[in-house]
Amino acid sequence: MNKTLMASLLALALTGCASSQSDQPFSLTLAHINDTQSHFDADDVRLSFANKAVYTRAGGSARVFNYANQLREQAHTNNQAFLFLHAGDAWQGSGYFTQHKGAMNADILSRMQLDAMTLGEREFALDNRHLASFIEQVDFPVLAANLDARQDADLQAVENLQPYVLYAFKGNKKKRVASVKDAGKSPVVAVLGLVRQDMATAGKQVGQLSFEQEVSRAQSTVNALKEQGVSHIVALTHLGLERDNQLAQKVNGIDVIVGGHAQGLLGDFTALGGTKNEPYARRFTNPDGRGSTCVVQSGQFGQAIGKVTVTFTYDGRVSQCEGGNTLLVDQQFYTDVRRNDTQRVSEQQQQSIMAAIADADADNIAIVAEDKSLQQYIAKEYQPALLKAYGKVIGVVPQTLAHAQLPVTGKSSQVAPLVAASQLYWLNTQGVQSVTGRQADFSLVAASAINQGVEIGAIKAGQISMELLPGNNPISLVSLTGHQVAGLLLEAINGAIAPNADGGSFPYVAGLRYQFNETSRGRGYLSRIEYARNGQWTRLDPNTQYQVALTGFHALANGGGQTLFDAQQVLTDRIDLAYVNGNLAAFPVARLSKNAQGAIEVNYINQPLNCQQAQVSCNTPAYAFTDYVRDNRPALTALAEPGISLNRL
């Protein structure tokens, strides 16, 4: 158990259930965001009014801060309790994070006057030293009741990492307290944090942390809080909507779950050209059949903010839970995503849009100015370095391109097939072929090689290397037989769809197409594998050698398992491609081997490839994608045929 949690529960036990808490009805307003992913600037968005597409900017820290302040002021005017919460995944997702490693997040989030935050998987993108620094720098508590940090050298002594926090309210005024006893007759709200129980197996940098089961730890923490006399409990989670809904039905005593990770914007946004997702503020009956829990989430990137008002009965149960997500947009609209002055909507259309937004029924969107002070601070302290690193515009994305690990109905990757296509294109350009001396037949890309989707708007070279493909794994070119390719695909797919797998090994392709049929949970067979030969789809021959492009995950046999390791164990012809002092170079590989700990090692024929050297750049996937967009697809849209048929049970 977490050392801090042990101390907190001991304090609860010592306090006992005696409490002088008021039995008067109580109302609490929660403003909340999640999955902001270092999107401190506003994003381009496509909306629809009167069936006409228009483009504007949404979100950004300065706009979210301004709207949160408006909600604070409303609560102050109504003398109502108010909290502003972040449900995790504040980190990795933009060039800002690449440059500042969490320090900017600590700075800006503190300036936004949050009252608490929990941890998402992106907070574990680096190592616990960076995470500890972030938690120590922020001026609000970071909550995780089911995280045990006692064995971790970096986080075990971080006092600001807590299982929960208590706030006592006197009207709109709040005070952080150590116990209900310290609050006197003032109502107390407990906010407890929950992180994913499977974080340690999700490929994150968790050090020596351990993660306890979400439901059991939530219930034991709630029970201890109730014993002290806390009547109002909020769970701040980063589990995903489905697990939040399950939590509400398996744990007694949580009044509100403010969640993250799902990223979908709860509510109906079809009138704005968006989608209709699950309702906001859905209530579930607890296992005891007496209490109920209200579940809310906002969207992603800080484009919207959620607001829920919870009213409690005299005995502390939820009687009402109402609110919604509000998309925060700029006041200027355009007919094109490039948003040039000549592309502004007409004055008549502008007035029509403003009237639609001002409509009393359109409470899911609001025109909100950016907080001037925070916007100027970001523009002065952080933007110049980022804009320099981003470089020139190489294309435009008319519609957001989504990325998901597995291609299932309604949720697939539009980005991974483009990345695979870019590598096949790049390898077969004249300049690259002069280095490799080979013609690539097809390309395989692991889903985990892509960091995120591609948002609508202009796309710059630096965004590709810093956000979309930020890794340091080179493109590899290796000879494999058709039989070996089939084995690689089978092992990678079975590994990706196995129970509890994260899908990271799933192979997306270019110049190749296949059909996989699942026959039992996490297992199946390939019914078709074809490659494009002279513009015609041709069945892959088991005995023919093909030149296959791979990224680091597959090339190191992590996703292809034993088949790919065996294929490179003796006298492989694989070459890894990287830039040295700005010039493309090939690094021939002799074979793969395993060290005493079982880790795979690459043995080079001549000079080893050291991606940590200052003059070496191994991120050839980013170079390939940049060239592909600039040369072939300056208007970047999804491919019509991704080449994959995945038939799940």
Side-chain angles (χ1 to χ4, degrees), residues 317-337:
R317 287 182 294 166
V318 175
S319 62
Q320 285 185 311
C321 183
E322 298 175 335
N325 281 314
T326 301
L327 187 66
L328 311 179
V329 299
D330 187 44
Q331 64 179 349
Q332 186 58 60
F333 298 86
Y334 300 82
T335 59
D336 190 278
V337 68

Side-chain angles (χ1 to χ4, degrees), residues 208-332:
Q208 299 303 309
L209 299 174
S210 61
F211 300 84
E212 301 174 10
Q213 210 273 342
E214 300 150 7
V215 171
S216 61
R217 178 51 58 206
Q219 189 65 74
S220 63
T221 307
V222 169
N223 291 346
L225 289 166
K226 291 291 187 182
E227 286 179 11
Q228 184 191 4
V230 177
S231 299
H232 315 299
I233 299 177
V234 177
L236 186 59
T237 76
H238 194 87
L239 311 177
L241 185 60
E242 181 178 351
R243 281 154 80 166
D244 278 347
N245 293 344
Q246 293 173 0
L247 190 72
Q249 298 171 80
K250 292 180 178 180
V251 176
N252 293 313
I254 298 175
D255 299 307
V256 188
I257 296 175
V258 177
H261 186 62
Q263 301 178 353
L265 195 56
L266 297 188
D268 187 355
F269 287 83
T270 53
L272 301 175
T275 58
K276 184 178 181 180
N277 297 311
E278 285 197 36
Y280 182 90
R282 188 177 176 190
R283 286 173 67 179
F284 295 89
T285 303
N286 295 160
D288 61 9
R290 183 172 179 269
S292 66
T293 302
C294 179
V295 178
V296 298
Q297 284 196 19
S298 190
Q300 61 180 353
F301 305 154
Q303 294 178 358
I305 191 170
K307 173 199 169 187
V308 61
T309 298
V310 188
T311 304
F312 298 89
T313 60
Y314 286 97
D315 59 353
R317 287 182 294 166
V318 175
S319 62
Q320 285 185 311
C321 183
E322 298 175 335
N325 281 314
T326 301
L327 187 66
L328 311 179
V329 299
D330 187 44
Q331 64 179 349
Q332 186 58 60

Side-chain angles (χ1 to χ4, degrees), residues 356-377:
I357 293 175
D359 191 295
D361 295 329
D363 56 359
N364 57 359
I365 185 171
I367 292 175
V368 180
E370 294 178 310
D371 178 82
K372 189 174 182 180
S373 177
L374 185 57
Q375 190 278 327
Q376 289 179 344
Y377 178 76

Side-chain angles (χ1 to χ4, degrees), residues 417 420-421 424 441-445 482 485-486 488-489 507-515 526 528-533 537-541 546 548-549 641-645:
L424 184 60
D441 292 307
F442 43 83
S443 175
L444 277 66
V445 171
V485 171
L488 185 162
L489 291 172
Y508 287 88
V509 295
L512 187 78
R513 67 181 185 184
Y514 65 82
Q515 179 171 313
L526 290 163
R528 184 189 72 226
I529 314 177
E530 298 173 315
Y531 79 106
R533 185 177 70 176
W537 287 109
T538 306
R539 183 178 178 180
L540 210 65
D541 181 65
Y546 300 94
V548 184
E641 176 54 61
I644 294 170
S645 296

Side-chain angles (χ1 to χ4, degrees), residues 399-420:
Q399 191 79 26
T400 295
L401 301 172
H403 176 59
Q405 305 278 48
L406 296 176
V408 295
T409 303
K411 186 180 180 183
S412 185
S413 178
Q414 297 172 301
V415 181
L418 288 166
V419 173

